[in-house]
Amino acid sequence: MRSLSFKAGLVYAIAFLLAGVGHAEIRLKLGPRKGVEVKEVSPGISELSVNGPSPHFWSEPVPAAFNPNVHQAISFEYFSPTGVDSLSLRYRQTDGTMTFGGSAPIPLAETWQPFSIDFSGTDPLPPGDDPKLRFHFSLTYNPKLNLRIRNFKVRALNSAAVSYTHLTLPTKRI
């Protein structure tokens, strides 16, 4: 991998700055699920546990304010005494194909911790004009999983992520 060209880096910097105009973040709601039980433990806090094989869940449809050129990270705060081996992000294109957006472990946490998946390097980005757009999340199967989440959203990359992205995006995105 090599760093982005000046022009591509400038585009990301402008997108980051424009994120402050309008909707820098868009709240997401948990949607349909399979193999995952969701309990609302208090307003805005959901507890996820695995109750079947191939556990996965979707967000509700993403609000119309979503702009894939600005909103390029899924984030939430989490509490998990068990941790999660892997959380994978996918999203459906308008032609029905699925695009892999990224995957990361969720470390054990006994206090609220931030978590995010940056999908700015995926190609293609989610369709911004699709009223049926949902994000899909799959979890590694663990019947003892205990995960609480709050502040579930899709947002613009923060300045640290923009700097990191500028250094590490694959060259095919230039």
Side-chain angles (χ1 to χ4, degrees), residues 8 11 22 35 50 60 63 66 75 82 89-90 149 160 172:
V11 168
V50 170
E60 287 292 328
F66 173 72
S75 69
T82 60
L89 166 68
R90 290 181 171 73
I149 64 172
K172 75 175 197 161

Side-chain angles (χ1 to χ4, degrees), residues 97-114:
T97 60
M98 295 288 282
T99 300
F100 178 72
S103 181
I106 300 176
L108 179 143
E110 294 181 344
T111 60
W112 289 103
Q113 298 294 317

Side-chain angles (χ1 to χ4, degrees), residues 91-136:
Y91 46 86
R92 188 175 309 278
Q93 298 296 329
T94 53
D95 66 2
T97 60
M98 295 288 282
T99 300
F100 178 72
S103 181
I106 300 176
L108 179 143
E110 294 181 344
T111 60
W112 289 103
Q113 298 294 317
F115 177 83
S116 66
I117 293 181
D118 171 353
F119 58 89
S120 64
T122 60
D123 187 23
L125 289 170
D129 57 352
D130 185 352
K132 296 179 182 177
L133 174 65
R134 298 173 185 256
F135 289 103
H136 177 267

Side-chain angles (χ1 to χ4, degrees), residues 11-27:
V11 168
Y12 278 102
I14 290 170
F16 174 72
L17 292 173
L18 289 176
V21 179
H23 302 280
E25 62 184 43
I26 298 172
R27 296 281 176 191

